[in-house]
Amino acid sequence: MSVPGVLSFTQQGWEQVLVKAKRALVYLDAACAESLHWGCGSSRLLEAVGGPACHVREFERDAVGGGAEQPKALFVLSGLLKGRTVEILRDIICRSHFQYCVVVSAVSHAVHLTANHVPAAAAAELEGQQPVFEQLEEKLCEWMGNLNYTAEVLYVPLLLAPAATHIALTPAFATLFPLLPQDVHLLNNARPDKRRLGSLGEVDATVLPPELLLQIRCLVSGLSSLCEHLGVREECFAVGPFSRVIAADLANYAPAKTRRKTAPGRASLVFVDRTLDLTGAVGHHGDNLVEKIISVLPQLPGHTNDVMVNMVDLTALHAEEENHSVVAPGCLAQSNDTSAKALWEALLNTRHKEAAMEVQRHLVEAASRENLPIKMSMGRVTPGQLTSYIQLFKNNIKALVNHCGLLQLGLATVQTLKHPQTAKWDNFLAFERLLLQSIGESSMAIVFNQLLPMIKPSTQRTNDDYNPEELLILLIYIYSVTGEFTVDKDLGEAEEKVKKALAQAFCEESKLSPLLQKITVHHCETCLVASIVLKKAWTRISEAAFSPHLKSSLSPTNIYSMSICARHCTSHWKHPGRASSMPLISSGLWASFPFL
């Protein structure tokens, strides 16, 4: 069983899609675009479309339709062909002049039957048939205005975005997150005439909302297709109540049962609730360059796992803030550049110092191959030194094109090393280490009293001080590493002081970050509103603490593996600095395939 099988799963899926793309107007949703981004690269799609004019558009209600010169459309969608998705399809097609429509869904027909409330017994009788897809094909022709036009609806499992050899991400499930204790009350409110749930341990598939169950089934469908591609019959294991529901659904999934009867290989599939190691995502481990790059550089729009790299330094423009939107940003994903992929793997698998030296080595070798006048210097690798190497490519178009991927990773390194947030990294790391040292010696009240002086309004903060978003990250870290604890009078008073200070800081912020805007629903006009919002957020943070009863059920090896895997979670996945021996698949929970 080879690790490249996970990568080929994505690439073979996209090959099926690209066959349908010739001279088509292509519409992609964000999750599928991210899978393409890491798996094949946008250039493969552009090559497949061909023709004098190439159009790739985001799948959204306001997307521009196709004109008379664009008779063919390809829609690549990550979700169910139902509800709002079908409405957007109809709106785009009705205002276009299409005569040939292909719709690719990353969700299997079996799940579409479930979504349309077809009983399991009836679904079993439909084996080999696809009535849901066939009905949609008829609708597509109707919307195109002629039943003699051509429409196709097919399933291609575009589940993964392979970020590296051993890391695969699931962008379509970036928001799938384990339930918290507070959610038990919501579940109980939805079933007033039935037995009340006492804890998350009692949650199973029968009590979950239909929308959440469908999202779980979509994930299960994709994982089953991956197992089919790998030729394995999986044994499912789970740590955490939410993971247990998903593992049980995969174990009982009808197509998976059929597949397991003939699969030649074996694999263990382990699900772990993301809440069991939030420290992996919010902690500042400090010794891996990729961790810092993903944390400090701005997110690539529409993506959950890539960043924007400012490319202005390779142009004749002045590197001013207003020029940032003029030049298309670079990124980390370089799926079609062998040299850049080798550097990316090295950055993931080495420590910070060695990673910077790897960037320098790759830049020097590339400059030497292009006969650029490079001057070597000894000593520690600095941002200025790397910048001088990158500038050599600036006025050589051929060299710039040949090594564009490498230069993007080089600029990402430079911009991260020079970023103000990187300088603050040591402050985070020092506080986290101090907290770990004091957990066994001090009470939580003392920890909160140490945090209190760090909370400052925007008018009193310097670049070295923590902003409200960073303070929330520290709170998550505090609760995650301490787990459950006894609440006494001193702790209650200390928590209230911290909440009050944070609410005041929220109120005095001139501009809230995108994350804080989501938390506060864009407004914190008064300290009373800020206090209410913060109280709700605080409850969710404290509920996400690592539960001691789960600690006792895990061996040290399992806890270590979980810590490694959890750091690859979507949005801000982080690598521990060494390559894992297993492919990792990450979403709001994580799953691993240690091949047997």
Side-chain angles (χ1 to χ4, degrees):
M1 189 83 50
S2 62
V3 170
V6 176
L7 176 61
S8 67
F9 172 69
T10 301
Q11 292 178 335
Q12 285 184 20
W14 276 105
E15 288 303 320
Q16 295 177 55
V17 175
L18 297 177
V19 166
K20 302 289 185 179
K22 187 174 182 181
R23 296 187 180 275
L25 180 57
V26 182
Y27 294 86
L28 294 163
D29 66 15
C32 286
E34 194 164 358
S35 174
L36 174 70
H37 179 71
W38 287 100
C40 303
S42 57
S43 60
R44 276 292 290 115
L45 177 60
L46 301 181
E47 291 169 7
V49 172
C54 177
H55 299 285
V56 179
R57 296 172 184 172
E58 183 179 0
F59 180 75
E60 59 179 357
R61 189 175 294 277
D62 298 327
V64 178
E69 72 286 358
Q70 296 163 323
K72 182 180 178 182
L74 170 63
F75 298 88
V76 189
L77 309 174
S78 61
L80 285 162
L81 303 178
K82 188 177 174 66
R84 185 172 181 272
T85 299
V86 173
E87 291 175 3
I88 296 174
L89 261 176
R90 180 196 61 204
D91 291 347
I92 294 174
I93 293 172
C94 286
R95 60 171 174 266
S96 303
H97 295 78
F98 300 137
Q99 300 175 24
Y100 181 10
C101 277
V102 181
V103 177
V104 175
S105 173
V107 179
S108 70
H109 185 265
V111 181
H112 280 86
L113 290 175
T114 303
N116 284 277
H117 312 291
V118 177
E125 295 177 1
L126 293 171
E127 187 175 357
Q129 303 178 53
Q130 297 187 330
V132 178
F133 287 176
E134 291 167 4
Q135 289 175 15
L136 182 57
E137 288 174 354
E138 293 177 4
K139 283 292 184 183
L140 293 173
C141 290
E142 181 182 319
W143 296 334
M144 286 188 284
N146 191 327
L147 295 179
N148 292 320
Y149 286 163
T150 305
E152 292 181 68
V153 179
L154 59 150
Y155 162 60
V156 178
L158 304 174
L159 172 70
L160 303 179
T165 304
H166 292 81
I167 304 171
L169 306 161
T170 55
F173 302 95
T175 59
L176 184 62
F177 199 78
L179 300 174
L180 296 175
Q182 189 179 21
D183 297 318
V184 173
H185 303 299
L186 300 176
L187 295 175
N188 282 331
N189 291 337
R191 50 196 308 243
D193 300 328
K194 298 182 179 180
R195 184 178 64 85
R196 313 292 284 179
L197 301 171
S199 67
L200 283 176
E202 299 177 24
V203 172
D204 58 24
T206 62
V207 303
L208 295 180
E211 297 80 6
L212 181 55
L213 277 174
L214 274 177
Q215 194 175 12
I216 290 172
R217 181 56 61 87
C218 290
L219 173 60
V220 162
S221 167
L223 290 174
S224 181
S225 295
L226 173 60
C227 291
E228 182 177 4
H229 173 81
L230 298 173
V232 297
R233 58 183 186 277
E234 73 284 2
E235 291 181 278
C236 298
F237 300 90
V239 183
F242 193 65
S243 290
R244 189 179 66 251
V245 174
I246 296 177
D249 197 64
L250 178 56
N252 296 320
Y253 184 49
K257 286 182 177 179
T258 304
R259 167 181 52 77
R260 283 193 287 266
K261 293 177 182 177
T262 57
R266 293 189 302 136
S268 294
L269 179 55
V270 184
F271 295 93
V272 179
D273 280 12
R274 190 67 191 91
T275 47
L276 298 185
D277 184 28
L278 288 175
T279 56
V282 301
H284 293 71
H285 312 285
D287 207 20
N288 184 258
L289 184 58
V290 172
E291 178 183 2
K292 294 182 179 180
I293 290 174
I294 293 176
S295 296
V296 305
L297 295 188
Q299 196 173 64
L300 192 64
H303 290 251
T304 58
N305 296 287
D306 207 345
V307 298
M308 289 195 295
V309 180
N310 184 2
M311 304 297 290
V312 170
D313 284 349
L314 288 174
T315 70
L317 295 172
H318 296 293
E320 298 175 358
E321 189 70 30
E322 57 267 24
N323 292 329
H324 288 188
S325 60
V326 175
V327 180
C331 61
L332 301 176
Q334 305 296 332
S335 54
N336 296 315
D337 188 324
T338 305
S339 177
K341 284 179 69 175
L343 176 57
W344 172 243
E345 293 282 350
L347 295 181
L348 280 168
N349 300 327
T350 55
R351 298 184 181 279
H352 186 285
K353 183 179 179 180
E354 289 80 4
M357 293 175 66
E358 275 295 307
V359 175
Q360 180 190 51
R361 183 178 69 82
H362 276 76
L363 288 173
V364 169
E365 290 179 356
S368 299
R369 285 196 296 271
E370 298 293 341
N371 296 317
L372 299 177
I374 193 164
K375 294 181 180 179
M376 287 295 297
S377 57
M378 304 300 291
R380 188 171 67 89
V381 179
T382 65
Q385 192 179 88
L386 295 178
T387 300
S388 68
Y389 298 151
I390 292 170
Q391 289 289 333
L392 295 173
F393 295 81
K394 182 175 180 178
N395 296 317
N396 189 320
I397 299 299
K398 181 183 176 183
L400 193 63
V401 171
N402 289 342
H403 305 283
C404 185
L406 183 63
L407 294 173
Q408 290 176 61
L409 294 178
L411 283 170
T413 301
V414 170
Q415 290 161 25
T416 298
L417 295 177
K418 294 168 64 176
H419 199 282
Q421 189 67 27
T422 303
K424 195 186 288 187
W425 202 274
D426 291 338
N427 295 345
F428 275 102
L429 192 57
F431 179 84
E432 290 165 6
R433 286 177 175 172
L434 180 63
L435 174 65
L436 291 175
Q437 292 172 359
S438 63
I439 283 176
E441 303 169 1
S442 307
S443 66
M444 279 294 290
I446 294 176
V447 172
F448 281 122
N449 287 331
Q450 291 174 338
L451 182 65
L452 190 59
M454 302 179 186
I455 305 173
K456 298 178 181 179
S458 57
T459 53
Q460 300 176 20
R461 283 201 304 267
T462 65
N463 291 334
D464 293 330
D465 293 319
Y466 299 111
N467 61 41
E469 182 174 326
E470 292 164 345
L471 290 165
L472 289 177
I473 290 173
L474 284 177
L475 281 172
I476 294 172
Y477 186 87
I478 289 171
Y479 278 108
S480 296
V481 297
T482 53
E484 295 181 350
F485 45 80
T486 303
V487 179
D488 55 22
K489 181 181 177 182
D490 291 341
L491 177 57
E493 291 177 353
E495 280 189 339
E496 287 304 317
K497 289 179 182 177
V498 172
K499 289 178 186 178
K500 184 176 180 180
L502 268 176
Q504 186 67 38
F506 273 43
C507 282
E508 297 186 15
E509 285 294 298
S510 57
K511 183 179 180 181
L512 295 178
S513 68
L515 173 62
L516 293 182
Q517 288 180 24
K518 290 181 181 179
I519 294 173
T520 61
V521 197
H522 300 277
H523 63 273
C524 267
E525 292 91 349
T526 67
C527 285
L528 177 60
V529 173
S531 297
I532 294 171
V533 168
L534 188 60
K535 183 178 179 180
K536 293 180 179 179
W538 194 289
T539 300
R540 305 295 282 186
I541 289 172
S542 60
E543 285 185 344
F546 195 108
S547 300
H549 74 275
L550 287 171
K551 286 182 181 177
S552 62
S553 67
L554 296 175
S555 68
T557 303
N558 287 339
I559 292 174
Y560 173 73
S561 299
M562 179 175 61
S563 178
I564 289 177
C565 297
R567 290 171 195 163
H568 303 290
C569 211
T570 51
S571 297
H572 292 289
W573 53 273
K574 302 177 180 180
H575 198 278
R578 295 185 183 275
S580 171
S581 61
M582 64 187 78
L584 304 174
I585 303 164
S586 298
S587 64
L589 43 85
W590 67 262
S592 63
F593 280 87
F595 292 113
L596 304 178

